[in-house]
Amino acid sequence: MKFRVERDALAEAVAWTAKSLPSRPSVPVLAGVMLRVTDGNLRVSGFDYEVSSQVTVEVQGDADGAALVSGRLLAEITKALPAKPVDIAAVGAHLELVCGSARFTLPTMPVEDYPALPEMPQSAGTVDAAAFATAVSQVAIAAGRDETLPMMTGVRVELSGSTLSMLATDRYRLALREIQWRPDDPEVSINALVPARTLNDTAKALGPLGGEVTLALAQGAAGEGMVGLAGGTRRTTSRLLDGANYPPVRSLFPATHNAEARVPVSTLIEVVKRVALVAERTTPVLLSFSADGLVVEAGGSEEARASEAMEAAFTGDALTIGFNPQYLIDGLANLGSQTAVLSFVDAFKPAVISPAGEDGEAIPGYRYLIMPIRVSR
């Protein structure tokens, strides 16, 4: 194998592929990225039996072939190379990389020991790449991080006609985003539970490329289903999580509310961050709403305390409610609007945060539900 490639194209391809490689692989070859040159195209791929990543780059190919090298090491090297064309050749049990006056010799691993990448599942439809990336980021923040509860670490993707819905929850908050997409089958009705981290990383990488993302799904028995995402020259597949017993979380959204506040997003985020400086890790911030506006407080009677008042348009009976400050900031920061609408039933029921339009009304499509923390005053 021998070829020449532009440095930026190589660095981006290797970084994209190496990002999904396992930090502690079950077998050494899974820490590698496969470089395969065929007919002037370089295919860079990685696979850990759960997630596969693949990207194709045009190169000046002198000799077709394949080589398997450490993905993280190659990513660090290509990122640090000078902005000049890169010449790569497989020589015996090593890979030689030359860029300007920089020269690297890397050991290779046996190509024949590397597992075959899974095929892309059947396409279900396409969605605008930028809109998809934004929607995924809005939902993925609410997914759980606890690997002992794998169901909560996923994003539930619901395909129903031309509506693509995504939900995620860690039991303390819940995010729901609905966008339009173009299904291959107008009557489609599929639900799938996709690992949130993989979905978010992939959508974040595909979004800036523009164009469309192809969403592909293959349903199977528990642990056998697969999702595929493809955009431009990149594609990722991932095993689905078992979502058969995913709770009916949509029912958590209150049908009505008794009080409502409209607050400037950036101001509230800044105030919560300042006030929360005196809060312990598990201490909530208190939001006291009244006709006069909003007061944000934190701290106990004997510890450090902080409070700050800010403007807010509020309708309903005066209300004081406590939230985890980071969960509140996460929801506000991902609204994508300058004004937030906070809807309340009472101080002990979940509150819902929605983006507001220029008219002050909540924009349908995104809702972030946050559980309150009971506080005694």
Side-chain angles (χ1 to χ4, degrees):
M1 179 185 76
K2 188 176 182 183
F3 64 92
R4 169 172 280 203
V5 61
E6 291 299 319
R7 178 259 183 192
D8 288 350
L10 177 65
E12 284 180 16
V14 175
W16 151 265
T17 307
K19 197 171 190 177
S20 60
L21 295 178
S23 53
R24 291 187 293 274
S26 54
V27 289
V29 292
L30 297 184
V33 293
M34 178 72 77
L35 306 177
R36 188 179 295 277
V37 175
T38 312
D39 299 330
N41 285 309
L42 166 67
R43 197 166 68 232
V44 185
S45 51
F47 184 37
D48 67 352
Y49 290 113
E50 294 289 331
V51 178
S52 80
S53 299
Q54 183 175 297
V55 58
T56 304
V57 180
E58 287 188 7
V59 299
Q60 296 175 24
D62 293 333
D64 291 353
L68 182 64
V69 295
S70 166
R72 298 196 187 282
L73 179 58
L74 186 61
E76 289 176 6
I77 290 171
T78 54
K79 181 180 173 185
L81 290 175
K84 296 179 179 179
V86 184
D87 290 299
I88 294 178
V91 181
H94 290 85
L95 189 77
E96 293 188 353
L97 186 152
V98 179
C99 181
S101 59
R103 178 183 292 271
F104 294 86
T105 301
L106 309 178
T108 58
M109 293 176 274
V111 170
E112 60 273 12
D113 292 350
Y114 199 70
L117 266 65
E119 293 295 322
M120 275 284 283
Q122 183 177 349
S123 169
T126 58
V127 60
D128 180 79
F132 182 65
T134 301
V136 171
S137 67
Q138 288 180 312
V139 173
I141 50 158
R145 310 286 191 273
D146 186 356
E147 297 295 337
T148 62
L149 294 169
M151 188 186 300
M152 295 299 169
T153 65
V155 171
R156 180 176 167 89
V157 177
E158 299 178 349
L159 309 177
S160 179
S162 61
T163 301
L164 189 161
S165 304
M166 289 180 282
L167 303 108
T169 180
D170 59 5
R171 299 179 300 165
Y172 305 105
R173 57 210 173 140
L174 164 63
L176 166 64
R177 182 74 164 97
E178 295 177 336
I179 59 175
Q180 295 298 297
W181 77 309
R182 290 165 289 283
D184 292 343
D185 175 8
E187 304 298 317
V188 66
S189 180
I190 303 175
N191 299 328
L193 190 60
V194 183
R197 187 178 144 201
T198 301
L199 183 64
N200 195 31
D201 286 348
T202 305
K204 195 183 294 183
L206 295 179
L209 300 178
E212 294 187 332
V213 171
T214 298
L215 181 62
L217 282 168
Q219 301 286 57
E224 293 180 5
M226 187 168 288
V227 62
L229 297 164
T233 59
R234 302 182 181 189
R235 64 163 242 198
T236 291
T237 67
S238 173
R239 200 182 290 271
L240 295 175
L241 297 169
D242 181 7
N245 298 313
Y246 199 78
V249 291
R250 280 179 181 265
S251 61
L252 294 174
F253 287 104
T256 59
H257 58 267
N258 299 321
E260 195 171 74
R262 283 169 179 76
V263 294
V265 171
S266 58
T267 306
L268 181 53
I269 289 175
E270 289 172 9
V271 170
V272 171
K273 283 182 177 177
R274 274 195 295 270
V275 170
L277 291 173
V278 302
E280 298 293 328
R281 206 168 72 86
T282 56
T283 306
V285 291
L286 296 181
L287 277 63
S288 298
F289 292 93
S290 67
D292 297 327
L294 166 63
V295 176
V296 182
E297 304 170 79
S301 56
E302 297 179 7
E303 301 100 24
R305 293 181 58 82
S307 68
E308 187 169 343
M310 60 174 285
E311 290 185 6
F314 180 73
T315 55
D317 295 333
L319 175 82
T320 297
I321 190 167
F323 295 120
N324 175 305
Q326 191 56 54
Y327 291 175
L328 180 59
I329 290 169
D330 285 346
L332 292 167
N334 284 276
L335 284 181
S337 70
Q338 296 181 347
T339 305
V341 177
L342 284 72
S343 305
F344 309 97
V345 176
D346 58 43
F348 309 107
K349 298 268 184 10
V352 177
I353 305 175
S354 306
E358 293 183 2
D359 59 359
E361 295 302 310
I363 302 172
Y366 183 54
R367 288 181 288 170
Y368 181 88
L369 179 144
I370 180 169
M371 302 294 289
I373 299 176
R374 290 178 178 247
V375 287
S376 55
R377 303 197 67 185

